[in-house]
Amino acid sequence: MIFLTFFIGIFANFIGYIPPGNINLTLVQITINRGIKQALMFIISFSCVEFFFTYFIMHAAKWLSGQVKLDTIIDWVMVVLFGALGTITWIHRKKPPETNYSEHESIKYGILLGFLNPMQVPFWMITGTYLITHEWILVGKLALVIFSAGAAAGAFIALFLYAKFAAYIQSKFALSTKFINTGIAILFFAFAAYHIVKQVWLVLFKHWI
């Protein structure tokens, strides 16, 4: 059961990081602009934080699911986060990549985004509740530690594959830093717009249906 819990954590979080979001898009940007070594520092530090983040969310999943306005709060936090990341990326889109970066910079960035990861809250509320309800995992402290370790490993694997793919694309197509940063900035703005439209629709139109 221990090994099953660990591998379920790997699989669940691996799937969770496949769709594009603030974390994997930021990682692609780091890989393109700073290289695979810096990307690896980011992934390791982020995955370490992911362990504690998952453990906390799984413990608080039942309480969080009862918070009526939690989805609304998360949406507006994502608007601010995506908007800020898009703005920063857009402003620096023409800036040539530096040749030397401190390893500590990528580590700090990984830790920061590990905590500023609101999209994982609804993901673990849904996934975690499903796994516990169907008794795929236990709810004891040791079981959740093992599950969280698996989740951290799943995040590491998914993000590492993203970094390798980004490096491969850059080497094959020789894409300019400006082109990549512009594309990522547009995606960040698009995600922010999605959350705004979602909230406007919920406020103005949902009660008509």
Side-chain angles (χ1 to χ4, degrees):
M1 189 65 183
I2 291 177
F3 290 107
L4 179 61
T5 299
F6 180 75
F7 285 112
I8 289 174
I10 292 178
F11 179 77
N13 218 21
F14 178 86
I15 297 299
Y17 278 103
I18 290 179
N22 60 310
I23 303 302
N24 36 34
L25 287 178
T26 299
L27 175 63
V28 169
Q29 190 178 18
I30 291 174
T31 305
I32 299 298
N33 295 339
R34 306 184 183 185
I36 195 69
K37 182 180 179 181
Q38 291 291 318
L40 190 59
M41 294 296 102
F42 174 88
I43 294 169
I44 292 172
S45 58
F46 177 84
S47 298
C48 290
V49 176
E50 184 75 356
F51 167 81
F52 296 102
F53 190 88
T54 303
Y55 184 80
F56 170 77
I57 294 299
M58 291 296 287
H59 261 296
K62 185 176 181 180
W63 178 81
L64 288 170
S65 63
Q67 305 307 303
V68 178
K69 295 185 177 181
L70 183 63
D71 288 344
T72 301
I73 294 172
I74 290 174
D75 277 333
W76 288 115
V77 170
M78 293 308 300
V79 169
V80 174
L81 184 59
F82 280 128
L85 290 172
T87 302
I88 293 170
T89 303
W90 182 265
I91 291 173
H92 293 91
R93 69 189 187 282
K94 297 181 181 179
K95 184 178 179 181
E98 298 180 20
T99 54
N100 294 315
Y101 282 95
S102 168
E103 292 183 359
H104 298 294
E105 187 174 347
S106 293
I107 292 173
K108 290 177 182 177
Y109 204 21
I111 293 173
L112 176 63
L113 288 187
F115 286 107
L116 295 177
N117 193 15
M119 287 295 289
Q120 285 299 90
V121 176
F123 173 78
W124 282 126
M125 282 172 55
I126 297 171
T127 306
T129 301
Y130 178 87
L131 293 173
I132 292 173
T133 302
H134 290 78
E135 298 183 347
W136 283 72
I137 62 173
L138 302 176
V139 293
K141 290 184 178 180
L142 178 60
L144 289 183
V145 166
I146 294 170
F147 179 82
S148 300
F156 178 91
I157 295 170
L159 295 178
F160 181 76
L161 291 177
Y162 254 98
K164 295 294 287 186
F165 180 72
Y168 173 79
I169 293 296
Q170 185 188 34
S171 66
K172 283 294 182 181
F173 297 97
L175 299 176
S176 68
T177 302
K178 178 183 176 181
F179 177 83
I180 294 170
N181 286 341
T182 300
I184 292 175
I186 291 172
L187 284 174
F188 279 140
F189 288 136
F191 286 137
Y194 162 76
H195 287 283
I196 293 174
V197 171
K198 176 184 173 183
Q199 283 303 311
V200 170
W201 182 84
L202 288 174
V203 171
L204 299 179
F205 303 110
K206 189 177 180 180
H207 65 280
W208 291 357
I209 299 176

